[in-house]
Amino acid sequence: MIILVINAGSSSLKYQLFNMAGAIVMARGSIERIGETKGVLTHHICMPGQGKKIVKEQKVKDHNRGMHLVANLIIDPDTGVIDNIKNIDAIGHRVVQGGETFGSAVLINDRVKQAIIDNSPLAPLHNPPNLVGIMAAEKLFPKIPNIAVFDTEFHQSIPQKAFLYALPYEYYSKLKVRKYGFHGTSHKYVSRKAAKLMEKDIDKTNLITIHLGNGCSVTAIEKGKCIDTSMGMTPLAGIMMGTRTGDIDPAIIGYLMEQTGKTIKELDIVLNQKSGLLGICGMNDMRDIHEKIDAGHTKAALAVEMFCYQVKKYIGAYAAVLGHIDAIVFTAGVGENDPIIRAKTCENLSFLGIWISPEKNNQKTSKPFYLHSEDSQVQVWVVPTNEELQIAKDVQKLLK
Ligand code: ADP
């Protein structure tokens, strides 16, 4: 089965073509700066023995044109990996916010498209471009089934006591204010992969999965099902991130409006784009931050202390919620590549049965590995995330 996975942003279109026999990536790429004077196309041929990368600059008017270019790149004799578009069995689309409407992947029809529109106020930067990508694919490939896979889907098993905010109840019933959670596809992928690596049945496994990229979230997984997650109604909540605050006292917003005269829109930019690691030390890339710490930058050191402290607090909270943990799983840019952050986060957690081995933690590999020491009661893993493959797997499951 051949599945094309599309992730459409407001000015970008990312794609991966999978051959599900062996879950092989045949080709992947992106079109950036759609609608601008110069678009950038990057296309990788990933077939074994044929690795090749093509980068081109050209104006790409809109997502329809972008989708057309993707189709051409995939079948072109020079850059292609299949003979005919008809060889694609299905197209999986990443959609960020499915609200409470969708608990699993769904074949796209008019009702689904309307639901994506209805949920757009909850994800105004993501759902509208996701829908534009869907419509472009439908137009270009009218005979291929289009399937939506929602970031929020994995979190739909969170119970009401964990997803409700203690606000007047009608804000939930009338205005949909509740925790939805994000990075769901990533948490789902790494939890299943980790269980497999541990040779355990996911339905009998309790995990804390920790996604640390530009955005960061922690998820409590009980017997394979998500029962709580750190992000909230929006991806601003939870632990501090590259540029986002994470949890703060909500009364700070009113106080800052009064003290600074900033509007709610201006403060929204501060909370989402000027806070987190960047707000504390002026940098949001963890590699730069470590470099500056080595050079004696005290605020960079403080940012790392705060970051690891907050991740550790979620480990403690979710350990209490789960009662028993089989493993902790780190993933995404920082989680996969940063032994300092992993070590600091797991420091002094021996009371939970967590011990890591410095040698194992320091290994450099793009493959999954464990870093717990022999006597640790809880396993600790690094599992590189692969959201696109999870989307392709969900599409395959639905078609079957
Ligand atoms: P996104 O959330 O945008 O998908 P990623 O998961 O790619 O982000 O993570 C990006 C972040 O990962 C970067 O900002 C950087 O801080 C961090 N990162 C990437 N490589 C390393 C590394 N080798 N060491 C430490 N941090 C890294």
Side-chain angles (χ1 to χ4, degrees), residues 105-123:
V106 59
L107 190 65
I108 296 169
N109 55 24
D110 287 345
R111 188 187 64 85
V112 174
K113 281 187 269 184
Q114 187 55 48
I116 294 171
I117 294 169
D118 293 345
N119 283 315
S120 287
L122 296 169

Side-chain angles (χ1 to χ4, degrees), residues 211 213-215 284-287 332-334 337-338:
H211 178 115
N214 276 316
N284 61 301
D285 192 301
M286 207 50 99
R287 290 162 288 198
V334 177
N337 297 300
D338 195 327

Side-chain angles (χ1 to χ4, degrees), residues 10-11 19 55 60 63 68 89 97 106 118 214 287 327 349 357:
S10 54
S11 61
N19 183 343
V55 182
V60 182
H63 284 74
H68 196 81
D89 293 289
Q97 180 54 275
V106 59
D118 293 345
N214 276 316
R287 290 162 288 198
L349 290 183
S357 142

Side-chain angles (χ1 to χ4, degrees), residues 120-159:
S120 287
L122 296 169
L125 300 179
H126 294 99
N127 271 27
N130 295 159
L131 186 62
V132 169
I134 290 169
M135 312 243 289
E138 283 181 331
K139 199 166 164 191
L140 198 62
F141 318 116
K143 297 225 167 89
I144 304 176
N146 283 276
I147 288 152
V149 178
F150 299 90
D151 273 21
T152 44
E153 173 243 305
F154 185 57
H155 303 304
Q156 282 296 299
S157 47
I158 297 178

Side-chain angles (χ1 to χ4, degrees), residues 356-376:
I356 66 164
S357 142
E359 297 77 49
K360 286 180 185 144
N361 181 34
N362 282 329
Q363 61 191 290
K364 282 196 170 68
T365 165
S366 56
K367 298 216 164 79
F369 65 91
Y370 67 85
L371 49 136
H372 50 272
S373 57
E374 295 308 318
D375 46 1
S376 184

Side-chain angles (χ1 to χ4, degrees), residues 210 212 216 218 230 236-241 244-248 276-277 280 302-318 344-345:
I210 305 176
L212 304 177
C216 301
V218 186
S230 60
L236 184 57
I239 40 182
M240 67 189 282
M241 311 179 206
R244 286 174 245 169
T245 53
D247 291 338
I248 59 166
L277 296 166
I280 297 296
L302 173 64
V304 163
E305 290 298 324
M306 286 174 68
F307 186 80
C308 296
Y309 176 76
Q310 296 194 12
V311 180
K312 188 194 284 271
K313 273 212 300 194
Y314 268 97
I315 296 177
Y318 288 168
K344 267 190 178 301
T345 302

